[in-house]
Amino acid sequence: MSTPPPTAQVLIVGSGPTGLTLACDLARRSVDVRIIDKSPEFPRSSRGKGPNPRSLEVLADLGVVDRVLAAGSAPLPMRKYRDGLPVADADPFEASHPTPDAPYDRPWLIAQWRLEEILRDRLAEYGVQVELGAEATGLATGPDSVTVALADGRSLAARYVVGCDGGHSAVRKLLGVPFEGKTAEEQMMVCGDVEADGLDRGYWHQWFDEDGAVLLCPIPGTRSGWWFQAGPERDRTGAPVPPSLESFRRLFAKHTGLPGSHLSRADLLSTYRVNERLADRYRVGRVLLAGDAAHVHSIAGGLGMNTGIQDAFNLGWKLARVVTGAADPALLDTYEEERLPVASWTLDITSERLRATLEAIRRPGGGLDTAVTAETTGLTRGYHWSSLSPAGSTTRLRAGDRAPDAPCHDAGTGAPVRLFEAFAGPHFTLLGFGPGTADALRATEAAYGDAVRVYGVGADGPAGLTDEAGHARTAYGIEPGTDTLVLVRPDNHVGLIAPAADSRAVGAYLDHLSDTAFRRL
């Protein structure tokens, strides 16, 4: 393979939610990024049912959450049936509500194609377009770049390549990275987008019988579009019947007791098998893996797309620092260090939630609400084990935790400001709780400029945030009368917690990240 000069700092292979999130994050950091996809046109598949609360926080940071909320809907109550008759309704989020530290209390229903469209529009605002019809078939790494050969004979080169190209990832296969795990052939569903009439669109309908199931969830933004999922028909030999409108109609009539003619169209058909697989490496030199290219698991709990979005948010700021020369490439090792254990945990929790759900649906009234737990919100995952999370804690937080939100006010203007608004963007954020942090805030601002935004919480001055209701202190576990520094990473995880008296800790942390011979903290 010839080695053309790099045409971008980063080349992303795959334009699903993971690749688009990463591309948006890199583009807003002024990284020269290209994103390609083998598909000849953008898919219209609904597939994943939407972002969970943690992914909504990521989308808010990227500046698109309002568009996502407007294009989708809140999760619907689930209506469960047995023998064609309704037996129970359940709303797993009925008792949920936003809190000062967590503004999104539930996932959001939105077709995957619509979410991708919103992210593509955001990416276009940075002047970057997805390049279609570009299938990766070869990979060669040089000392300063990676060259990707395409099926049409072209070659593209970049300083780094990220494979976000799904469970059948060409990038992962070209790297030779093992993808160990198992496929549960007996756990199978047929899926598709259908047009249906005669059903109440205010519910996610779930018909569970002893010999199969049919699930229909309305697709937001459509008049009569629904997600269809079912256990497959079997032929005389016991083999599963491929998905089709005719098969869907027979399954629908069998389990609902309604005429199959209620379904008038079925497309974007697929057969889903439960796969649990994990790449044993996320980085091979200048090539990295993210999303389904690195991990696949049961859909129970809805963590697939969300884990990929959160992979991208973890990787974006690190990759940007490396390609702009602000950090040594060894910083990229912390991506695998932090995200591979999360993927391993995800395999475990989704497997356990699938087991619990399969047990629940054996009984009348059981349904997919069994898969929903506090852990599936994505808000509980931190990186306590990471080398980027040195010792430091309060009564509520440890280094590595997700940084909480809180409503505050600008001390100068009195305008309302949420901490998430202060965090949004490509910078670190240093919060100083207590007047004793003022010197450390000034010193950090002078030394690091716009790379670190500083805010005195409760302090006076133009950079200060007032916390009259005490929500910020409560969320961060700051005891009355204590002066505490909290450094928040660009991916909105806590990097460091230190007493104000240890003001040098902040500079030491940031200098380690910038060290050309990156050392573990």
Short mmCIF file of all heavy atoms in Angstrom, two decimals, residues 232-257:
data_model
loop_
_atom_site.label_atom_id
_atom_site.label_comp_id
_atom_site.label_asym_id
_atom_site.label_seq_id
_atom_site.Cartn_x
_atom_site.Cartn_y
_atom_site.Cartn_z
N PRO A 232 -38.78 -15.05 16.68
CA PRO A 232 -39.03 -15.43 15.29
C PRO A 232 -39.97 -16.61 15.16
O PRO A 232 -40.11 -17.43 16.07
CB PRO A 232 -37.63 -15.80 14.78
CG PRO A 232 -36.92 -16.29 16.01
CD PRO A 232 -37.43 -15.43 17.14
N GLU A 233 -40.63 -16.66 14.02
CA GLU A 233 -41.33 -17.88 13.64
C GLU A 233 -40.30 -18.98 13.39
O GLU A 233 -39.13 -18.71 13.11
CB GLU A 233 -42.12 -17.66 12.35
CG GLU A 233 -43.35 -16.81 12.47
CD GLU A 233 -44.13 -16.82 11.18
OE1 GLU A 233 -43.60 -16.39 10.15
OE2 GLU A 233 -45.30 -17.29 11.21
N ARG A 234 -40.75 -20.23 13.45
CA ARG A 234 -39.89 -21.36 13.14
C ARG A 234 -40.52 -22.18 12.01
O ARG A 234 -41.75 -22.35 11.97
CB ARG A 234 -39.71 -22.25 14.37
CG ARG A 234 -39.10 -21.53 15.58
CD ARG A 234 -37.62 -21.40 15.48
NE ARG A 234 -37.06 -20.62 16.59
CZ ARG A 234 -35.76 -20.52 16.83
NH1 ARG A 234 -34.89 -21.16 16.05
NH2 ARG A 234 -35.32 -19.78 17.84
N ASP A 235 -39.68 -22.70 11.13
CA ASP A 235 -40.21 -23.55 10.08
C ASP A 235 -40.34 -24.99 10.58
O ASP A 235 -40.12 -25.27 11.77
CB ASP A 235 -39.36 -23.46 8.81
CG ASP A 235 -37.92 -23.97 9.02
OD1 ASP A 235 -37.67 -24.71 10.00
OD2 ASP A 235 -37.06 -23.63 8.19
N ARG A 236 -40.64 -25.91 9.70
CA ARG A 236 -40.89 -27.29 10.13
C ARG A 236 -39.67 -27.95 10.73
O ARG A 236 -39.79 -28.88 11.53
CB ARG A 236 -41.38 -28.11 8.92
CG ARG A 236 -42.75 -27.68 8.40
CD ARG A 236 -43.13 -28.48 7.19
NE ARG A 236 -44.43 -28.07 6.66
CZ ARG A 236 -44.98 -28.59 5.57
NH1 ARG A 236 -44.33 -29.54 4.88
NH2 ARG A 236 -46.15 -28.15 5.15
N THR A 237 -38.50 -27.46 10.36
CA THR A 237 -37.26 -28.05 10.90
C THR A 237 -36.83 -27.36 12.20
O THR A 237 -35.84 -27.76 12.80
CB THR A 237 -36.13 -27.93 9.87
OG1 THR A 237 -35.77 -26.54 9.71
CG2 THR A 237 -36.55 -28.52 8.54
N GLY A 238 -37.57 -26.33 12.60
CA GLY A 238 -37.20 -25.57 13.79
C GLY A 238 -36.29 -24.40 13.52
O GLY A 238 -35.91 -23.68 14.45
N ALA A 239 -35.94 -24.18 12.26
CA ALA A 239 -35.07 -23.06 11.92
C ALA A 239 -35.87 -21.76 11.94
O ALA A 239 -37.06 -21.73 11.59
CB ALA A 239 -34.47 -23.27 10.53
N PRO A 240 -35.26 -20.66 12.34
CA PRO A 240 -35.97 -19.38 12.38
C PRO A 240 -36.32 -18.91 10.98
O PRO A 240 -35.54 -19.04 10.03
CB PRO A 240 -34.97 -18.43 13.05
CG PRO A 240 -33.63 -19.06 12.82
CD PRO A 240 -33.86 -20.54 12.83
N VAL A 241 -37.53 -18.36 10.84
CA VAL A 241 -37.99 -17.80 9.58
C VAL A 241 -37.45 -16.38 9.43
O VAL A 241 -37.55 -15.58 10.38
CB VAL A 241 -39.53 -17.79 9.52
CG1 VAL A 241 -40.03 -17.09 8.27
CG2 VAL A 241 -40.06 -19.22 9.59
N PRO A 242 -36.84 -16.03 8.31
CA PRO A 242 -36.31 -14.68 8.15
C PRO A 242 -37.42 -13.63 8.30
O PRO A 242 -38.58 -13.89 7.98
CB PRO A 242 -35.75 -14.68 6.71
CG PRO A 242 -35.49 -16.12 6.41
CD PRO A 242 -36.56 -16.88 7.14
N PRO A 243 -37.08 -12.44 8.79
CA PRO A 243 -38.09 -11.39 8.98
C PRO A 243 -38.66 -10.92 7.65
O PRO A 243 -37.94 -10.78 6.66
CB PRO A 243 -37.31 -10.27 9.69
CG PRO A 243 -35.88 -10.51 9.34
CD PRO A 243 -35.73 -11.99 9.21
N SER A 244 -39.97 -10.68 7.65
CA SER A 244 -40.66 -10.16 6.47
C SER A 244 -41.99 -9.60 6.94
O SER A 244 -42.44 -9.87 8.06
CB SER A 244 -40.90 -11.26 5.44
OG SER A 244 -41.83 -12.22 5.94
N LEU A 245 -42.65 -8.81 6.10
CA LEU A 245 -43.96 -8.29 6.45
C LEU A 245 -44.94 -9.43 6.70
O LEU A 245 -45.71 -9.39 7.67
CB LEU A 245 -44.48 -7.38 5.34
CG LEU A 245 -45.91 -6.86 5.51
CD1 LEU A 245 -46.06 -6.07 6.81
CD2 LEU A 245 -46.33 -6.01 4.30
N GLU A 246 -44.90 -10.45 5.88
CA GLU A 246 -45.83 -11.57 6.04
C GLU A 246 -45.60 -12.29 7.37
O GLU A 246 -46.56 -12.62 8.08
CB GLU A 246 -45.68 -12.55 4.87
CG GLU A 246 -46.11 -12.00 3.52
CD GLU A 246 -45.13 -10.98 2.95
OE1 GLU A 246 -43.94 -10.99 3.37
OE2 GLU A 246 -45.55 -10.14 2.12
N SER A 247 -44.34 -12.53 7.70
CA SER A 247 -44.04 -13.18 8.97
C SER A 247 -44.45 -12.30 10.14
O SER A 247 -45.02 -12.78 11.13
CB SER A 247 -42.55 -13.51 9.05
OG SER A 247 -42.23 -14.10 10.30
N PHE A 248 -44.18 -11.00 10.05
CA PHE A 248 -44.56 -10.08 11.13
C PHE A 248 -46.08 -10.08 11.32
O PHE A 248 -46.57 -10.03 12.45
CB PHE A 248 -44.09 -8.66 10.81
CG PHE A 248 -42.61 -8.42 11.02
CD1 PHE A 248 -41.75 -9.46 11.36
CD2 PHE A 248 -42.08 -7.16 10.88
CE1 PHE A 248 -40.39 -9.24 11.56
CE2 PHE A 248 -40.72 -6.91 11.08
CZ PHE A 248 -39.88 -7.96 11.41
N ARG A 249 -46.83 -10.13 10.22
CA ARG A 249 -48.29 -10.15 10.33
C ARG A 249 -48.77 -11.41 11.03
O ARG A 249 -49.67 -11.35 11.88
CB ARG A 249 -48.90 -10.05 8.93
CG ARG A 249 -48.92 -8.64 8.35
CD ARG A 249 -49.43 -8.63 6.93
NE ARG A 249 -49.77 -7.28 6.49
CZ ARG A 249 -50.05 -6.96 5.23
NH1 ARG A 249 -50.06 -7.92 4.28
NH2 ARG A 249 -50.37 -5.72 4.92
N ARG A 250 -48.15 -12.54 10.72
CA ARG A 250 -48.56 -13.78 11.38
C ARG A 250 -48.22 -13.73 12.87
O ARG A 250 -49.03 -14.15 13.71
CB ARG A 250 -47.88 -14.98 10.70
CG ARG A 250 -48.41 -15.28 9.30
CD ARG A 250 -47.91 -16.61 8.79
NE ARG A 250 -46.47 -16.65 8.62
CZ ARG A 250 -45.83 -16.35 7.48
NH1 ARG A 250 -46.53 -15.97 6.41
NH2 ARG A 250 -44.52 -16.43 7.39
N LEU A 251 -47.05 -13.25 13.21
CA LEU A 251 -46.67 -13.14 14.62
C LEU A 251 -47.59 -12.17 15.36
O LEU A 251 -48.01 -12.42 16.49
CB LEU A 251 -45.21 -12.66 14.73
CG LEU A 251 -44.13 -13.68 14.35
CD1 LEU A 251 -42.79 -13.00 14.14
CD2 LEU A 251 -44.01 -14.74 15.44
N PHE A 252 -47.88 -11.04 14.72
CA PHE A 252 -48.77 -10.04 15.32
C PHE A 252 -50.14 -10.64 15.60
O PHE A 252 -50.70 -10.50 16.70
CB PHE A 252 -48.88 -8.85 14.38
CG PHE A 252 -49.76 -7.74 14.87
CD1 PHE A 252 -49.29 -6.81 15.77
CD2 PHE A 252 -51.08 -7.62 14.42
CE1 PHE A 252 -50.11 -5.77 16.23
CE2 PHE A 252 -51.90 -6.60 14.86
CZ PHE A 252 -51.41 -5.67 15.78
N ALA A 253 -50.72 -11.32 14.61
CA ALA A 253 -52.05 -11.91 14.80
C ALA A 253 -52.03 -12.98 15.88
O ALA A 253 -52.96 -13.08 16.70
CB ALA A 253 -52.53 -12.49 13.47
N LYS A 254 -50.99 -13.77 15.90
CA LYS A 254 -50.90 -14.87 16.87
C LYS A 254 -50.89 -14.35 18.30
O LYS A 254 -51.59 -14.88 19.18
CB LYS A 254 -49.64 -15.69 16.60
CG LYS A 254 -49.37 -16.78 17.64
CD LYS A 254 -48.06 -17.50 17.33
CE LYS A 254 -47.73 -18.52 18.41
NZ LYS A 254 -46.43 -19.20 18.14
N HIS A 255 -50.09 -13.33 18.59
CA HIS A 255 -49.89 -12.90 19.97
C HIS A 255 -50.85 -11.81 20.42
O HIS A 255 -51.13 -11.67 21.61
CB HIS A 255 -48.44 -12.45 20.17
CG HIS A 255 -47.45 -13.57 20.08
ND1 HIS A 255 -47.34 -14.55 21.03
CD2 HIS A 255 -46.56 -13.89 19.11
CE1 HIS A 255 -46.39 -15.41 20.67
NE2 HIS A 255 -45.90 -15.03 19.52
N THR A 256 -51.35 -11.00 19.48
CA THR A 256 -52.23 -9.90 19.88
C THR A 256 -53.70 -10.25 19.76
O THR A 256 -54.54 -9.60 20.41
CB THR A 256 -51.96 -8.65 19.02
OG1 THR A 256 -52.43 -8.89 17.68
CG2 THR A 256 -50.48 -8.31 19.00
N GLY A 257 -54.03 -11.22 18.91
CA GLY A 257 -55.44 -11.52 18.64
C GLY A 257 -56.07 -10.53 17.70
O GLY A 257 -57.28 -10.58 17.46
#
